[in-house]
Amino acid sequence: MKYILFFLFASFVSTAQVTKEQLNIMPWPQNISLNQGSFALTKNFKVNITGAPNSRIFIGATNFLRRLDGRTGLFFNQGFINGLNEVPDAELQINCVRSGKIELYEDESYLLEVTANKITINATTDVGALHALETLLQLLQNNSTSYYFPTSNISDFPRFTWRGLMIDVARHFMPIDVIKRNLDGMAAVKMNVFHWHLVDDQGWRIEMKKHPKLIQMASDGNYYTQEEIKSVVKYAADRGILVVPEIDVPGHGSAILTAYPEIGSKVVNLNVGSGENGQQFTQVQSYTLERNAGIFTPTLDPSNPKTYQLLSEFFDEICPLFPGKFFHIGGDENEGKDWDSNPKIQEFKKKHNLATNHELQTYFTMQLIPMLKKHKKELMGWEEIMTKNMSKDAIIHSWRGTNEGQAAGQSLVEAVKGGYKTVLSNGYYIDLMLGVENHYTVDPMPKNVTLTNEEKARILGGEATMWTELVTPGTIDSRVWPRTAAIAERFWSNENITDINSLRKRLNTVSFRLEELGLTHLKSKEGLLRNISNNQENEALLDMSNICEPIKQYSRNKGGTEYQMYSPLTLFADVCTPDASDAIGFDGAVTNYLNNKTNENQIIVTNYLNKWIKMHTDLTILSNNAPLVQPLLPLSKSIKDISEQLLLKIDKKQNIDVSVLNGLLENCNSKEHADVELAVYNSLKKLVQA
């Protein structure tokens, strides 16, 4: 009897005293209060929907129920939710006033109340209700025997209306299942804009029934059928996500010009001759798909009427596939080299009083606006489209920063002060392989800049960008997630939610929960490790991957030529991710030890050092039958060598020559091996300097 009473008391305590610090909600809600008590889940848990929602709520609520059942293993009695007010006495009541529209500025707010015997979601739209269901899933707690929701009240709404993720499918084609699972990931963290970069130098990815040459000559057979595109748009809409397509023009034009070289800007070789019937002919310059990464010269000819004729026809076929009101035309990185060398284009500039290539590009872009307005679309482009003559109806996508000689977000400020709506991507380039803190500390609303309320309102939000020069369908999830969840929080939550320790703690749980949606950012690692280890025991390889990160920025693919679009991306650098787990843990251990040199803190540090000494020995043995391990050995030896010396310093209290330690430390700062860097370098430096 005493045991039973103790067990019941322990269960009551564990379910009644949940604190905000225990919650793993992301994005963090605008307002949340926790109360004493809990709502206990049983197999009889059911969902009921009332109001006048879009039918997407039935899909969303059913998916919620299946995910919750998968986490708890309770075998819920309720299967599929197909209509309104099916179970009036259900414990979860969802009320939606009206059908939500998949567009900007829609009401995405919700109220969520959890009491001991009932859960209520009230939302103006079903889109808001879908967000509430994601929050409710993240509220789930458990003790040793049961699952429950803490009694609570949450009122929530997004800070920014544009919370986007861009995926480039031109460099490396991404099959439909990859796109859809990432849409599920977006919905889980309340992102609402999917920017689909469909055309670039490396490929055209849209089936064109009226212009089949584009897929016959410029896709390598990798493209989406129009029915597949429609299915993605519907799949996204069912999750409250707007799809924005991008066709990049006039630069990045290799794919288009491979199919239609006659609208290219490169100077034509005038080989005038006679055919069989005596007719005159000229040779048209040819183009090919680009296999490298970088900025290339092929550019559409803005002086050729056929350029606009073809683009208009392209838009006529593509725009109906995307019911949303925005169309991204790229407009970035046009160096104008082919324009400068083409006399006909130079004459066109003079005739139209266009002093610079920038003005010529503005002329070009302005011709696209009526083509898109015909289909009720608003033009959006990368920041290079912004000039004094650019239509104020265009949306400016700010992306350049300090690497391009500009202050971070400078173009965003210029855009809003110039009367343009704008979206920020500078600071959210997740392909740069920077740690989560680099992105989390960037805010779409610029600091230390005075903006009027009207100017602030023109900042629509932000967008994470996943360029795929070094990404395949097998690795893309590990490059997008979980960091994008942190970016999503920056777009949704109050600007004061900035605690990096809280973020990391919550992100650990959010990350593994994303796997229930089919994302592979965690599970794909094991397959790559098997390949590298030649299917041998790979614990040492795993340990190495937990202290290494891919080298940053675009240094891995030097000059854009080390990797072609068909090169292998199955190497150690593809296993490693930003925010290497043991590097974060080691840094915390070092900080604690240096602040308080207790025996317990010292043991934690020395355990890491001993592990890395053994790791090098094991990797050396592993490499005897695994050639792909060989490039790692110089780095693993470097960390072994310095670990041995630091153990002598810390454990044995020996005086180690500072010059010896500094030399070993510099070896750990190398970026010349296996396209990775030791993420523990700065922590080791703290120990050396101490």
Side-chain angles (χ1 to χ4, degrees):
M1 178 63 71
K2 287 182 179 178
Y3 174 79
I4 294 172
L5 288 173
F6 174 79
F7 177 79
L8 290 173
F9 176 75
S11 296
F12 172 77
V13 170
S14 65
T15 60
Q17 296 181 349
V18 175
T19 66
K20 290 182 181 180
E21 289 71 27
Q22 291 175 263
L23 300 178
N24 294 305
I25 303 176
M26 188 174 293
W28 192 257
Q30 300 291 343
N31 300 286
I32 177 170
S33 62
L34 296 175
N35 308 311
Q36 290 291 322
S38 64
F39 175 97
L41 275 169
T42 71
K43 67 182 300 181
N44 297 318
F45 179 77
K46 291 184 176 66
V47 180
N48 188 55
I49 300 169
T50 59
N54 184 282
S55 60
R56 70 174 68 90
I57 193 63
F58 306 130
I59 298 170
T62 300
N63 289 342
F64 160 83
L65 203 59
R66 298 284 70 78
R67 288 162 65 192
L68 184 61
D69 211 5
R71 291 187 191 182
T72 62
L74 286 171
F75 288 79
F76 292 145
N77 292 324
Q78 188 176 21
F80 297 88
I81 302 165
N82 297 306
L84 294 173
N85 211 27
E86 292 180 331
V87 191
D89 60 346
E91 294 166 303
L92 172 55
Q93 294 288 333
I94 303 172
N95 180 59
C96 309
V97 176
R98 62 173 174 81
S99 175
K101 298 177 182 178
I102 306 303
E103 60 185 32
L104 297 190
Y105 305 110
E106 178 56 292
D107 190 329
E108 300 177 75
S109 65
Y110 65 89
L111 298 173
L112 170 61
E113 182 182 14
V114 181
T115 66
N117 54 21
K118 188 176 183 181
I119 302 173
T120 305
I121 291 172
N122 285 304
T124 302
T125 69
D126 45 82
V127 176
L130 292 175
H131 295 325
L133 289 173
E134 295 295 343
T135 300
L136 184 58
L137 274 171
Q138 293 179 343
L139 271 176
L140 183 67
Q141 305 290 307
N142 66 274
N143 55 35
S144 61
T145 60
S146 61
Y147 293 90
Y148 62 93
F149 296 111
T151 55
S152 50
N153 292 87
I154 295 175
S155 64
D156 202 10
F157 55 88
R159 183 174 168 222
F160 292 103
T161 190
W162 188 296
R163 308 180 305 282
L165 169 66
M166 186 280 292
I167 294 181
D168 162 25
V169 298
R171 276 48 179 261
H172 279 91
F173 181 72
M174 298 294 152
I176 290 293
D177 65 312
V178 175
I179 300 300
K180 287 185 175 179
R181 72 191 186 216
N182 276 280
L183 287 168
D184 282 325
M186 290 175 64
V189 292
K190 303 180 175 65
M191 300 181 90
N192 68 335
V193 178
F194 172 51
H195 173 181
W196 206 354
H197 185 87
L198 288 156
V199 176
D200 215 297
D201 289 294
Q202 294 78 8
W204 177 283
R205 306 301 183 199
I206 311 167
E207 178 191 22
M208 300 294 285
K209 295 179 179 179
K210 296 178 181 176
H211 297 86
K213 284 200 298 184
L214 286 165
I215 54 174
Q216 292 166 358
M217 301 175 66
S219 74
D220 290 321
N222 291 317
Y223 61 90
Y224 305 104
T225 67
Q226 294 191 11
E227 290 306 309
E228 286 175 325
I229 289 172
K230 291 176 184 177
S231 78
V232 167
V233 170
K234 182 183 185 304
Y235 195 89
D238 285 342
R239 285 146 184 82
I241 297 172
L242 170 71
V243 180
V244 177
E246 179 183 352
I247 297 176
D248 204 348
V249 290
H252 289 277
S254 300
I256 294 174
L257 298 178
T258 296
Y260 292 97
E262 63 270 25
I263 63 170
S265 298
K266 195 178 292 184
V267 175
V268 175
N269 296 320
L270 296 175
N271 295 327
V272 180
S274 300
E276 292 182 2
N277 300 320
Q279 74 273 24
Q280 297 284 305
F281 69 89
T282 60
Q283 179 180 334
V284 176
Q285 181 65 51
S286 63
Y287 296 83
T288 59
L289 288 180
E290 189 52 63
R291 304 304 184 183
N292 292 323
I295 303 172
F296 307 101
T297 58
T299 310
L300 277 59
D301 182 355
S303 71
N304 187 346
K306 188 172 182 182
T307 299
Y308 303 109
Q309 176 193 336
L310 279 172
L311 287 175
S312 182
E313 292 170 2
F314 295 169
F315 290 141
D316 285 347
E317 189 165 359
I318 295 169
C319 284
L321 303 176
F322 299 94
K325 84 191 272 197
F326 304 105
F327 201 108
H328 205 301
I329 58 88
D332 61 316
E333 297 179 326
N334 173 25
E335 296 181 330
K337 292 179 180 177
D338 285 354
W339 289 357
D340 292 337
S341 61
N342 189 319
K344 181 170 72 76
I345 293 176
Q346 293 304 307
E347 184 60 33
F348 182 86
K349 285 172 66 177
K350 291 179 183 177
K351 179 180 177 182
H352 290 83
N353 297 315
L354 303 170
T356 65
N357 284 340
H358 210 167
E359 291 183 13
L360 177 58
Q361 181 161 330
T362 301
Y363 173 92
F364 168 87
T365 306
M366 292 291 286
Q367 310 312 304
L368 307 185
I369 290 177
M371 299 180 196
L372 294 171
K373 276 191 173 180
K374 172 183 176 183
H375 298 281
K376 299 181 180 178
K377 308 290 186 201
E378 292 183 20
L379 182 145
M380 181 177 187
W382 301 104
E383 64 187 62
E384 288 94 327
I385 72 168
M386 182 172 56
T387 63
K388 63 181 180 180
N389 295 321
M390 191 65 219
S391 168
K392 293 296 189 289
D393 292 333
I395 297 174
I396 305 301
H397 198 161
S398 173
W399 71 277
R400 291 189 297 185
T402 52
N403 287 343
E404 290 76 24
Q406 288 184 281
Q410 178 180 322
S411 62
L412 177 138
V413 174
E414 293 175 356
V416 297
K417 286 185 174 294
Y420 296 97
K421 290 177 290 186
T422 185
V423 171
L424 181 68
S425 277
N426 177 262
Y428 307 124
Y429 266 51
I430 49 179
D431 63 315
L432 295 178
M433 296 290 103
L434 301 175
V436 67
E437 189 170 355
N438 294 86
H439 306 301
Y440 193 62
T441 53
V442 176
D443 197 293
M445 192 63 64
K447 308 299 182 187
N448 304 318
V449 176
T450 302
L451 298 175
T452 67
N453 289 335
E454 186 179 5
E455 289 167 344
K456 289 179 180 178
R458 295 188 191 119
I459 299 175
L460 302 180
E463 188 173 287
T465 49
M466 184 68 255
W467 302 104
T468 59
E469 287 90 343
L470 295 174
V471 174
T472 66
T475 61
I476 185 171
D477 294 0
S478 71
R479 273 60 186 135
V480 175
W481 307 102
R483 289 176 300 153
T484 296
I487 295 172
E489 179 161 283
R490 180 55 51 239
F491 298 159
W492 178 282
S493 302
N494 188 286
E495 62 182 321
N496 297 323
I497 303 299
T498 56
D499 188 319
I500 192 67
N501 292 322
S502 168
L503 171 78
R504 290 193 188 280
K505 176 255 178 187
R506 290 180 288 126
L507 201 56
N508 282 335
T509 297
V510 169
S511 181
F512 96 83
R513 288 301 189 195
L514 287 169
E515 283 201 305
E516 73 187 20
L517 301 168
L519 289 165
T520 65
H521 58 296
L522 298 177
K523 61 173 71 82
S524 63
K525 185 172 185 174
E526 183 59 34
L528 289 170
L529 289 175
R530 276 196 295 273
N531 177 63
I532 295 166
S533 67
N534 205 10
N535 202 32
Q536 301 176 82
E537 170 59 45
N538 58 31
E539 182 179 353
L541 198 57
L542 178 62
D543 287 341
M544 187 71 176
S545 74
N546 288 334
I547 59 171
C548 288
E549 296 176 0
I551 52 179
K552 312 301 182 189
Q553 309 291 344
Y554 295 123
S555 54
R556 178 179 177 186
N557 193 14
K558 296 174 183 176
T561 58
E562 188 173 341
Y563 287 82
Q564 284 73 45
M565 294 306 118
Y566 43 77
S567 298
L569 290 165
T570 53
L571 309 178
F572 186 68
D574 303 297
V575 172
C576 298
T577 60
D579 304 299
S581 58
D582 277 2
I584 295 170
F586 181 61
D587 189 64
V590 168
T591 299
N592 290 337
Y593 168 69
L594 294 179
N595 288 336
N596 187 4
K597 293 184 178 179
T598 64
N599 188 53
E600 291 79 8
N601 285 342
Q602 179 177 312
I603 288 173
I604 296 173
V605 171
T606 56
N607 282 346
Y608 278 107
L609 301 177
N610 280 310
K611 178 167 74 169
W612 297 334
I613 293 169
K614 181 179 184 296
M615 177 186 74
H616 175 66
T617 301
D618 293 345
L619 283 174
T620 302
I621 296 170
L622 186 66
S623 70
N624 290 329
N625 188 32
L628 290 177
V629 175
Q630 293 285 347
L632 309 180
L633 297 183
L635 271 182
S636 67
K637 183 178 185 304
S638 293
I639 196 164
K640 175 195 78 81
D641 290 345
I642 197 169
S643 294
E644 289 174 339
Q645 295 302 308
L646 286 170
L647 281 173
L648 292 175
K649 177 182 178 181
I650 296 169
D651 248 0
K652 306 299 183 184
K653 311 304 180 187
Q654 294 184 14
N655 290 323
I656 308 299
D657 190 313
V658 174
S659 63
V660 171
L661 280 175
N662 284 331
L664 294 174
L665 180 65
E666 277 314 297
N667 291 339
C668 293
N669 197 28
S670 172
K671 297 174 177 58
E672 300 300 319
H673 305 289
D675 289 332
V676 297
E677 59 187 54
L678 283 169
V680 292
Y681 168 76
N682 288 326
S683 305
L684 292 169
K685 187 175 181 180
K686 293 177 188 176
L687 287 177
V688 168
Q689 292 177 341

